[in-house]
């Protein structure tokens, strides 16, 4: 049986960096700590990524690519159950790269690429939320009149998406962003984003969303 090829060092560096950034926050993790975690020399790390900023940018490129692929699904939702699944999947991806949201202001002030690209990412999220609202409205699940109420609602959804993990972190700095808290953070976030739609949902859809939230609360 053929042996698996060892993972390339560059890939291992990104995996280790992501785990450390998520665990301790990007400002608190040095390249020396990353090299030590991998049991490689600092010179080996610098050969692949001459600065920590390049590691951050490589991780952002991966996140941006995955997010772009996911956001297109917003236009395909048919009811609140689809919307719930979409939102939970979106929060799972955000959780996977949660250090960006935990340290967002610091990263934007120190990293020119993120300063330029994160607003573009926010615009894409807002467009996806608008597509989701339009899809629900077309299928009769959402009764939002006038239609121009969609844009501020989509923006509000993105605000919660973007800052929910920061809110969780402020509430419980020592526990909120730990792996064991993932499920609760994701469920709470999805519930509060979709909760913005409660006044506009068709009555049976509103009741169904309440049942979905209740079922997950009991499971937790």
């Amino acid at each position: 049986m053929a042996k698996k090829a060892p993972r390339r060092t560059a890939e291992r560096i990104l995996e280790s960096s992501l785990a450390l950034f998520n665990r301790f926050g990007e400002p608190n993790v040095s390249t020396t700590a990353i090299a030590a975690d991998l049991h490689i020399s600092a010179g080996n790390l610098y050969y692949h990524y001459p600065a920590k900023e390049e590691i951050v940018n490589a991780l952002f490129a991966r996140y941006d690519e995955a997010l772009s692929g996911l956001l297109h699904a917003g236009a395909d939702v048919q009811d609140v159950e689809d919307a719930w699944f979409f939102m939970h999947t979106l929060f799972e991806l955000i959780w996977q790269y949660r250090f960006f949201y935990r340290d967002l202001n610091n990263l934007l002030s120190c990293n020119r690429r993120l300063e330029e690209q994160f607003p573009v990412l926010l615009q894409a999220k807002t467009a996806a939320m608008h597509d989701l609202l339009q899809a629900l409205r077309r299928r009769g699940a959402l009764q939002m009149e006038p239609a121009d109420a969609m844009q501020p609602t989509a923006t509000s959804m993105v605000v919660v998406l973007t800052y929910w993990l920061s809110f969780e972190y402020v509430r419980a700095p020592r526990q909120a962003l730990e792996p064991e808290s993932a499920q609760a953070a994701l469920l709470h976030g999805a519930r509060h984003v979709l909760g913005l739609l409660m006044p506009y949902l068709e009555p049976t859809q509103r009741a169904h969303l309440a049942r979905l939230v209740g079922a997950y609360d009991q499971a937790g």
Side-chain angles (χ1 to χ4, degrees):
M1 182 176 176
K3 291 184 178 180
K4 283 186 177 180
R7 286 175 300 156
R8 293 173 56 244
T9 301
E11 177 68 22
R12 293 175 59 227
I13 290 171
L14 291 182
E15 290 178 0
S16 174
S17 299
L18 180 58
L20 291 171
F21 292 165
N22 283 340
R23 176 68 180 83
F24 299 108
E26 183 272 342
N28 302 315
V29 178
S30 65
T31 52
T32 302
I34 298 168
D37 186 64
L38 290 167
H39 305 290
I40 63 175
S41 69
N44 194 355
L45 186 146
Y46 293 141
Y47 172 79
H48 296 282
Y49 297 101
K52 186 169 71 165
E53 182 175 305
E54 295 192 19
I55 297 175
V56 172
N57 290 343
L59 290 171
F60 180 78
R62 290 188 172 196
Y63 171 57
D64 191 32
E65 182 179 7
L67 183 65
S68 297
L70 175 58
L71 290 179
H72 292 300
D76 298 328
V77 300
Q78 299 190 31
D79 52 29
V80 294
E81 189 156 348
D82 285 351
W84 176 267
F85 179 76
F86 171 75
M87 203 61 61
H88 195 275
T89 305
L90 185 53
F91 267 106
E92 284 180 337
L93 181 59
I94 290 172
W95 178 268
Q96 185 181 349
Y97 291 89
R98 59 193 176 277
F99 82 92
F100 285 118
Y101 295 87
R102 169 177 172 167
D103 304 312
L104 182 56
N105 289 353
N106 180 74
L107 286 166
L108 293 179
S109 68
C110 299
N111 186 308
R112 179 64 175 164
R113 181 177 177 187
L114 292 188
E115 181 187 350
E116 294 175 345
Q117 292 299 314
F118 220 91
V120 177
L121 182 149
L122 290 182
Q123 291 173 3
K125 283 185 185 176
T126 304
M129 295 305 106
H130 193 269
D131 289 346
L132 180 147
L133 296 176
Q134 286 186 317
L136 289 174
R137 187 169 180 261
R138 282 196 304 270
R139 292 169 173 84
L142 193 72
Q143 301 171 335
M144 185 173 282
E145 300 293 345
D148 57 12
M150 287 187 182
Q151 194 58 42
T153 302
T155 300
S156 296
M157 294 169 76
V158 173
V159 170
V160 178
L161 273 169
T162 303
Y163 290 103
W164 182 257
L165 292 184
S166 294
F167 177 72
E168 292 276 347
Y169 181 70
V170 171
R171 290 177 63 196
R174 296 183 182 274
Q175 292 88 31
L177 300 188
E178 297 300 313
E180 59 269 19
S181 302
Q183 190 67 2
L186 301 181
L187 292 175
H188 293 163
R191 177 173 66 186
H192 282 278
V193 174
L194 292 180
L196 294 169
L197 306 186
M198 277 292 196
Y200 307 105
L201 289 173
E202 183 271 331
T204 59
Q205 290 289 294
R206 188 184 309 130
H208 187 44
L209 179 57
R211 286 194 297 272
L212 287 171
V213 170
Y216 278 96
D217 282 345
Q218 289 177 10

